[in-house]
Amino acid sequence: MGKKNKQFVEKITAMEDDFAQWYTDVVKQADLVDYGQVRGTMIIKPYGYAIWENVRDELDKKFKETGHSNVAFPLFIPESLLQKEKDHVEGFAPEVAWVTHGGEEKLQERIAVRPTSEVLFCDYYSKNIHSYRDLPKLYNQWTNVVRWEKTTRPFLRSSEFHWQEGHTAHATDEDAAQETNRMLEVYADMAEKYLAIPVLKGRKTDKEKFAGANYTLTIEALMHDGKALQSGTSHHFGSGFAEAFDITYLDENGESQFVHQTSWGLSTRIMGALIMVHGDNRGLVIPPRVAPTQAMIVPIAQHKEGVLDKAYDLRDRLKDLVRVDIDASDKMPGWKFNEYEMKGIPVRIEMGPKDIEKEQVVLARRDTGEKEFIPLSELESRLPVLLEEIQQNLYTKAQTHREEKTSIAKTMDEFKQVLEEKPGFIKAMWCGDVACEEKIKEETTATSRCIPFDQETVADTCVCCGKDAKELVYWAKAY
Amino acid sequence: MGKKNKQFVEKITAMEDDFAQWYTDVVKQADLVDYGQVRGTMIIKPYGYAIWENVRDELDKKFKETGHSNVAFPLFIPESLLQKEKDHVEGFAPEVAWVTHGGEEKLQERIAVRPTSEVLFCDYYSKNIHSYRDLPKLYNQWTNVVRWEKTTRPFLRSSEFHWQEGHTAHATDEDAAQETNRMLEVYADMAEKYLAIPVLKGRKTDKEKFAGANYTLTIEALMHDGKALQSGTSHHFGSGFAEAFDITYLDENGESQFVHQTSWGLSTRIMGALIMVHGDNRGLVIPPRVAPTQAMIVPIAQHKEGVLDKAYDLRDRLKDLVRVDIDASDKMPGWKFNEYEMKGIPVRIEMGPKDIEKEQVVLARRDTGEKEFIPLSELESRLPVLLEEIQQNLYTKAQTHREEKTSIAKTMDEFKQVLEEKPGFIKAMWCGDVACEEKIKEETTATSRCIPFDQETVADTCVCCGKDAKELVYWAKAY
């Protein structure tokens, strides 16, 4: 590694030295985000937004394939409407940004900038659902929401963030339960197949569920530092909101019934997971399926005759096959190498006078750093395969990492020791009592991440109180 | 027309009787929009949003083709930042929604919910542009903005609306001027080729330009009632904002220079134009290129054996060719005919037992009401051609309408008479004095729509004051 290269690398803190600072450095140096003027708001820059667009487009396709329609509900919620469902308002009111004036006029009623939109959809459904023929309603929207957070970090916790929120209404509790599951699977599929992030699927404890929900399903991912990140949630409301908002329909026998509802959301937080699952000390590593640029062509000795022409020819050859770009700026190749490593572009294609002579190019992988020489004639067959290998490798690495950092604890002493020595997921049995859950959090700062769908019995007694165990829970410190 | 059909049609007011009520009826009956709880906010329903998505996707493609990147800037603007450019804050402050509290905490400084985002981009550019190498910056975002309007109507004027706003910074005034033109052409192209809406291209007078702009370019469309709708604007800022926000760069000679900026926006208002240019007394008429469903299959006598199977076969045959759907519900065909006419679906495909026997289908055009019998074997070749014919016909009709409703006035008496007898665009010469512009507005309520790029001399003197004319202006009553 040359001198310049080294200097550049030193621009970001090593993750072993200070993981939080490493994260902040990567977010900034990889050009993902800048800070907004109002506390905790963020500016998502072109490169960050291009990754989010790929996530969004893929999810949006899946939503439509599963019968959902996009809509746009208002940003504003009257205070009285927000207060209609008791648990819900208690959960969200402390973090609401309030509009009190429109122009010069003081408003008669305060208006909440939506922290989430359940009450708006409920109000709409109460007026627009009449008969079983109107069901199910399968709506989604891609929006911004505002939560006035005390401590903020780009993507992970910001005052304003971007997400999609699905809001559905069904004839039966079972239909709603199926929808809750279906959308969790859509999220898990997105995380695993596109973001190359293995996720745990399970149910949140009552303490951790969404304000107003019957139950909440979640996908949980493990970051490089052993902390967990809740990466997408799907809520089953039963008829709780329907009763608060009087959302009824006439069934086939002409009898009035409450609808059964769900909501589900995935936000720009997932960008944090992407960074902290795959990133390394050279910067971001983007899985090919969501990478805005999958292959970056860097001409070598581009001042020599014919090099740039050949590089552009190459770009034109590849552009319908993969998302390819070229950096023909007058910066040094070393600078370019570092820049695109920092940005996590999966493959760098190097091409200089010698390569042109030999009718070959160099393919350099971002994930392993390996280089291979490929005859030009084989590039169209090799490049897509290489991208797929990188995609799979990232998933496998993340899975191995998660397995290495998943431990079993049978007692509180073991729990604390493991958390200290090998932070990650802790599998431990739980009696089901919220007192134990609270005690664990108090003593260790770890929280229950989920009651996994795949249950095992790792002990007979609760890790905390020693009474009979009810179920296995995954615990971890979390973002 | 059968009795049922007639009843349904009577659900909307005839446009000749009350155009404003016709508009409101169509918006509601075609399932585009519902009203939000907070004054002037709207809920864009699935059908309305699907049309907007088509407009958005097409524009987004054009933005990317012309080198622009999407970003996401914050919803919130500190009051002090909004006040940095004097003309700009004067233009927007009266309609700002103000956030004063975050959770329980009273904020030290009021926060504006963005009415537009110039100041946020300027603040960002002032920190992120250093050298000529950083230019141009070509950013765009798809967002919601809030303007606290007194009188609101769905799409046309709402407290919150959706739009895109492009914000660019350039090295020279000329580069910025080229960008301003380029984006106006993108809008004009979108309006004419996709929405089938002929538009006038021109420059706004100083009175009507954007608050803080050097000049504003606009596309203006003529609605069915003879009123104009400003449908997209592109602003040249010169270095005005750059001076207020100190946005400078070092040029190739190492000298500090102000950047030159533009912004440009197109909003959900364009949905209003779509409705009021093409709609008729049976409801919406959607141009095929932006129609979420281009052809709707309505089976006739679907209880008869084989009809539904054949209808589904037809859908499967066509689904990769056009955006096709089928209504196999147990509603009467007459109900379905009305429903999809109301929604403006370009082509209805009817297929009953007799058609199946004859191996044909019926194609019914929404725009002309004409029906044609087509052998099944010719459907794949005929349907795309028919859609194109409809697209062209809608454009031609709108153009003819605009020509019929465009008049010349040489004196104020002529101006008033024309406005009374044949409301539409009035071409009249202007001396360039804002006093005349204001007087015309006061006496007629018509406003200057634009100084068209295609100038003509229809008289030698100003229509208002009789002094020497400077240029031709299009005038109209406007939304």
Side-chain angles (χ1 to χ4, degrees):
Chain A
M1 194 184 281
K3 198 183 158 206
K4 269 193 186 156
N5 206 333
K6 195 134 183 280
Q7 279 179 335
F8 189 81
V9 168
E10 282 166 3
K11 282 169 78 173
I12 66 170
T13 307
M15 60 166 77
E16 299 77 13
D17 295 342
D18 182 344
F19 193 78
Q21 189 59 48
W22 168 85
Y23 178 82
T24 308
D25 289 352
V26 169
V27 158
K28 187 89 183 162
Q29 293 295 332
D31 258 353
L32 299 178
V33 156
D34 210 328
Y35 296 97
Q37 283 253 2
V38 170
R39 189 183 79 179
T41 60
M42 61 177 169
I43 292 164
I44 309 182
K45 294 168 78 171
Y47 191 57
Y49 202 79
I51 300 169
W52 174 242
E53 276 184 322
N54 285 344
V55 174
R56 182 196 68 186
D57 290 351
E58 194 56 44
L59 266 183
D60 196 65
K61 206 168 73 186
K62 285 175 198 283
F63 294 160
K64 283 171 179 160
E65 281 167 8
T66 46
H68 300 84
S69 299
N70 283 337
V71 294
F73 273 56
L75 174 68
F76 288 151
I77 308 175
E79 185 165 17
S80 56
L81 188 65
L82 192 62
Q83 287 172 335
K84 266 197 161 176
E85 211 285 339
K86 211 177 121 288
D87 292 337
H88 189 66
V89 69
E90 275 176 21
F92 285 103
E95 15 182 89
V96 165
W98 294 104
V99 173
T100 58
H101 290 74
E104 299 301 311
E105 168 202 3
K106 184 170 193 301
L107 304 180
Q108 296 197 313
E109 181 184 10
R110 295 202 299 178
I111 292 170
V113 182
R114 65 180 162 218
T116 181
S117 304
E118 274 71 14
V119 299
L120 292 171
F121 281 84
C122 284
D123 181 60
Y124 175 85
Y125 286 150
S126 74
K127 293 167 185 161
N128 287 277
I129 293 173
H130 308 289
S131 141
Y132 68 95
R133 288 169 185 267
D134 298 326
L135 297 173
K137 290 279 187 204
L138 304 174
Y139 286 2
N140 174 65
Q141 64 178 3
W142 292 93
T143 60
N144 51 347
V145 289
V146 170
R147 296 180 190 174
W148 207 256
E149 302 273 5
K150 295 234 152 48
T151 320
T152 61
R153 297 183 66 194
F155 292 129
L156 299 174
R157 202 167 287 279
S158 47
S159 303
E160 178 195 7
F161 62 86
H162 298 263
W163 75 347
Q164 59 66 219
E165 45 181 328
H167 296 272
T168 69
H170 306 263
T172 68
D173 194 78
E174 199 193 329
D175 289 350
Q178 278 177 4
E179 170 80 1
T180 312
N181 281 320
R182 184 183 303 123
M183 301 325 287
L184 193 81
E185 291 298 334
V186 165
Y187 289 158
D189 198 63
M190 176 73 213
E192 302 203 324
K193 299 224 176 85
Y194 291 85
L195 299 169
I197 299 175
V199 291
L200 269 181
K201 293 181 281 191
R203 189 163 51 82
K204 287 281 183 191
T205 61
D206 279 356
K207 179 178 180 319
E208 299 285 334
K209 73 182 182 185
F210 182 83
N214 238 343
Y215 61 82
T216 288
L217 304 182
T218 181
I219 53 170
E220 300 279 330
L222 197 66
M223 305 300 101
H224 211 87
D225 62 346
K227 279 191 180 172
L229 186 83
Q230 174 182 304
S231 304
T233 47
S234 183
H235 317 293
H236 183 271
F237 292 140
S239 57
F241 276 93
E243 287 168 35
F245 285 82
D246 195 26
I247 316 173
T248 59
Y249 69 97
L250 291 181
D251 69 14
E252 302 196 29
N253 304 316
E255 280 172 34
S256 181
Q257 307 280 356
F258 285 116
V259 301
H260 300 262
Q261 291 173 270
T262 83
S263 80
W264 26 277
L266 183 144
S267 79
T268 39
R269 273 203 117 189
I270 199 93
M271 299 283 291
L274 189 71
I275 297 161
M276 293 193 286
V277 167
H278 300 305
D280 61 24
N281 284 336
R282 288 180 296 148
L284 270 185
V285 180
I286 310 285
R289 290 196 193 157
V290 293
T293 302
Q294 296 172 313
M296 176 62 81
I297 300 170
V298 177
I300 311 294
Q302 66 182 41
H303 58 281
K304 296 215 171 145
E305 203 187 320
V307 172
L308 273 183
D309 287 345
K310 287 282 182 191
Y312 279 112
D313 285 351
L314 193 60
R315 195 261 320 260
D316 292 344
R317 262 178 68 175
L318 295 175
K319 71 178 184 213
D320 293 329
L321 190 67
V322 298
R323 295 188 287 272
V324 64
D325 204 351
I326 184 169
D327 185 346
S329 71
D330 56 7
K331 289 165 185 153
M332 298 293 291
W335 186 94
K336 295 177 187 175
F337 288 9
N338 288 326
E339 172 74 2
Y340 303 118
E341 285 180 358
M342 181 61 71
K343 289 194 160 165
I345 292 176
V347 172
R348 179 178 71 236
I349 306 179
E350 303 168 22
M351 190 194 221
K354 274 186 204 155
D355 302 307
I356 292 170
E357 205 174 289
K358 293 183 188 169
E359 298 195 336
Q360 67 178 23
V361 294
V362 180
L363 300 183
R365 289 174 67 149
R366 172 64 181 89
D367 59 336
T368 61
E370 290 165 359
K371 285 187 174 196
E372 52 185 276
F373 295 85
I374 294 290
L376 261 178
S377 60
E378 289 171 25
L379 194 55
E380 275 92 345
S381 56
R382 177 59 187 148
L383 190 52
V385 173
L386 178 61
L387 289 170
E388 205 43 44
E389 285 171 15
I390 295 170
Q391 180 81 28
Q392 293 311 321
N393 178 52
L394 289 176
Y395 183 81
T396 307
K397 264 173 76 176
Q399 201 172 29
T400 305
H401 173 261
R402 188 182 74 179
E403 277 164 21
E404 282 169 8
K405 297 220 170 176
T406 300
S407 313
I408 290 170
K410 295 180 185 176
T411 64
M412 281 303 283
D413 284 344
E414 281 181 27
F415 195 110
K416 289 171 190 172
Q417 191 186 349
V418 163
L419 205 60
E420 178 71 24
E421 291 171 5
K422 200 173 67 174
F425 280 130
I426 298 178
K427 291 158 73 170
M429 302 307 289
W430 179 48
C431 62
D433 190 341
V434 70
C436 287
E437 194 180 357
E438 280 167 356
K439 194 174 169 199
I440 291 172
K441 186 176 179 184
E442 202 186 301
E443 292 189 7
T444 69
T445 74
T447 50
S448 71
R449 302 318 307 157
C450 71
I451 303 159
F453 293 157
D454 290 335
Q455 281 287 313
E456 302 166 58
T457 304
V458 301
D460 295 324
T461 54
C462 174
V463 69
C464 183
C465 67
K467 288 185 192 154
D468 281 356
K470 192 178 151 204
E471 53 203 349
L472 176 72
V473 171
Y474 274 78
W475 312 79
K477 294 189 185 183
Y479 281 97
Chain B
M1 194 182 280
K3 199 186 157 203
K4 268 191 186 156
N5 206 333
K6 195 134 184 278
Q7 277 180 337
F8 189 81
V9 168
E10 283 166 4
K11 282 170 78 174
I12 65 170
T13 306
M15 57 167 78
E16 298 78 12
D17 295 342
D18 182 346
F19 194 78
Q21 189 59 46
W22 169 83
Y23 178 81
T24 308
D25 288 351
V26 169
V27 158
K28 185 89 183 164
Q29 292 296 331
D31 258 354
L32 299 178
V33 156
D34 211 329
Y35 297 98
Q37 282 254 359
V38 170
R39 187 183 79 178
T41 61
M42 62 177 167
I43 293 164
I44 308 183
K45 295 168 79 172
Y47 191 57
Y49 203 78
I51 300 169
W52 174 241
E53 276 182 324
N54 286 344
V55 174
R56 183 197 67 187
D57 291 351
E58 194 55 44
L59 266 184
D60 196 67
K61 207 167 73 187
K62 285 175 198 286
F63 294 160
K64 284 170 179 161
E65 282 167 6
T66 46
H68 300 84
S69 300
N70 284 337
V71 293
F73 272 56
L75 175 68
F76 288 151
I77 307 174
E79 185 166 14
S80 55
L81 188 65
L82 192 62
Q83 288 172 337
K84 266 195 160 176
E85 211 286 339
K86 207 177 124 288
D87 291 338
H88 188 66
V89 68
E90 274 176 21
F92 284 102
E95 22 182 82
V96 165
W98 294 103
V99 173
T100 57
H101 290 74
E104 298 302 310
E105 169 202 3
K106 186 170 193 299
L107 305 178
Q108 296 197 316
E109 181 183 11
R110 295 200 301 178
I111 293 170
V113 182
R114 65 181 161 216
T116 180
S117 303
E118 274 71 14
V119 298
L120 293 170
F121 282 81
C122 284
D123 182 59
Y124 174 86
Y125 285 149
S126 73
K127 293 166 185 162
N128 288 276
I129 292 173
H130 309 290
S131 142
Y132 69 93
R133 288 169 185 269
D134 298 326
L135 297 173
K137 290 279 188 205
L138 304 173
Y139 286 1
N140 175 64
Q141 64 177 4
W142 292 93
T143 60
N144 51 347
V145 289
V146 169
R147 296 182 190 173
W148 207 256
E149 302 273 6
K150 294 232 155 48
T151 318
T152 62
R153 298 183 65 192
F155 294 128
L156 298 175
R157 201 167 288 278
S158 47
S159 303
E160 178 195 6
F161 61 85
H162 298 265
W163 75 347
Q164 58 68 221
E165 44 179 329
H167 295 272
T168 70
H170 307 263
T172 69
D173 195 78
E174 196 193 331
D175 288 350
Q178 276 176 5
E179 170 80 2
T180 312
N181 280 320
R182 183 183 303 121
M183 301 325 287
L184 192 81
E185 290 299 333
V186 165
Y187 290 158
D189 199 62
M190 176 73 213
E192 301 202 325
K193 298 223 176 84
Y194 290 85
L195 299 169
I197 298 175
V199 291
L200 269 182
K201 294 182 279 192
R203 189 164 52 81
K204 286 282 182 190
T205 60
D206 279 355
K207 178 179 181 321
E208 299 285 335
K209 74 181 181 186
F210 182 82
N214 239 344
Y215 61 82
T216 289
L217 304 182
T218 181
I219 53 170
E220 301 278 330
L222 197 66
M223 304 301 102
H224 210 88
D225 62 346
K227 279 191 180 171
L229 186 83
Q230 175 181 306
S231 303
T233 48
S234 184
H235 317 293
H236 183 273
F237 292 140
S239 57
F241 275 94
E243 288 168 35
F245 285 82
D246 195 25
I247 316 173
T248 59
Y249 71 96
L250 291 181
D251 67 15
E252 302 194 31
N253 303 318
E255 280 172 34
S256 181
Q257 305 281 357
F258 285 115
V259 302
H260 300 262
Q261 291 172 272
T262 83
S263 80
W264 26 276
L266 182 144
S267 78
T268 38
R269 271 203 120 191
I270 199 93
M271 299 282 290
L274 188 71
I275 298 162
M276 292 193 288
V277 167
H278 301 304
D280 63 23
N281 284 336
R282 287 179 297 148
L284 271 183
V285 179
I286 311 285
R289 290 195 194 160
V290 293
T293 302
Q294 296 173 312
M296 176 62 80
I297 300 170
V298 177
I300 310 295
Q302 67 182 41
H303 58 280
K304 294 214 173 149
E305 204 188 317
V307 171
L308 273 183
D309 287 345
K310 288 281 182 192
Y312 279 111
D313 286 351
L314 193 61
R315 195 261 320 260
D316 292 344
R317 262 178 68 176
L318 296 175
K319 71 180 181 209
D320 294 329
L321 190 69
V322 298
R323 295 189 288 273
V324 64
D325 204 350
I326 184 171
D327 184 347
S329 71
D330 57 6
K331 289 165 183 152
M332 298 294 292
W335 187 95
K336 294 177 188 177
F337 288 10
N338 287 327
E339 173 73 4
Y340 303 118
E341 285 181 358
M342 180 62 70
K343 289 194 159 164
I345 292 177
V347 172
R348 180 178 70 236
I349 306 180
E350 303 168 22
M351 188 195 225
K354 274 185 205 154
D355 301 307
I356 292 169
E357 204 175 290
K358 292 183 187 167
E359 298 195 336
Q360 67 179 23
V361 295
V362 180
L363 301 181
R365 290 172 67 149
R366 172 65 182 88
D367 60 336
T368 60
E370 287 164 359
K371 285 188 175 195
E372 52 186 276
F373 295 85
I374 293 289
L376 260 179
S377 60
E378 290 171 24
L379 194 53
E380 274 92 344
S381 57
R382 176 60 186 146
L383 190 52
V385 173
L386 178 60
L387 288 170
E388 207 41 47
E389 285 170 17
I390 295 171
Q391 181 80 29
Q392 293 312 322
N393 178 52
L394 289 177
Y395 182 80
T396 308
K397 263 173 75 175
Q399 203 174 26
T400 305
H401 173 259
R402 187 181 75 178
E403 277 163 21
E404 283 169 8
K405 297 218 171 177
T406 300
S407 313
I408 291 171
K410 296 180 185 176
T411 64
M412 281 303 282
D413 282 346
E414 279 181 28
F415 195 110
K416 288 172 191 173
Q417 190 186 352
V418 162
L419 205 60
E420 178 73 23
E421 289 172 6
K422 200 173 67 174
F425 280 130
I426 298 178
K427 292 158 72 168
M429 302 307 288
W430 180 48
C431 61
D433 190 340
V434 69
C436 285
E437 195 181 356
E438 280 166 358
K439 192 174 170 201
I440 290 173
K441 186 176 178 184
E442 201 185 301
E443 290 189 9
T444 69
T445 74
T447 50
S448 72
R449 303 318 307 157
C450 70
I451 304 158
F453 294 157
D454 291 336
Q455 280 287 313
E456 303 165 58
T457 304
V458 301
D460 296 323
T461 54
C462 173
V463 68
C464 183
C465 67
K467 288 184 191 152
D468 280 356
K470 189 178 153 209
E471 52 204 349
L472 177 72
V473 170
Y474 273 79
W475 312 79
K477 295 189 184 183
Y479 281 96

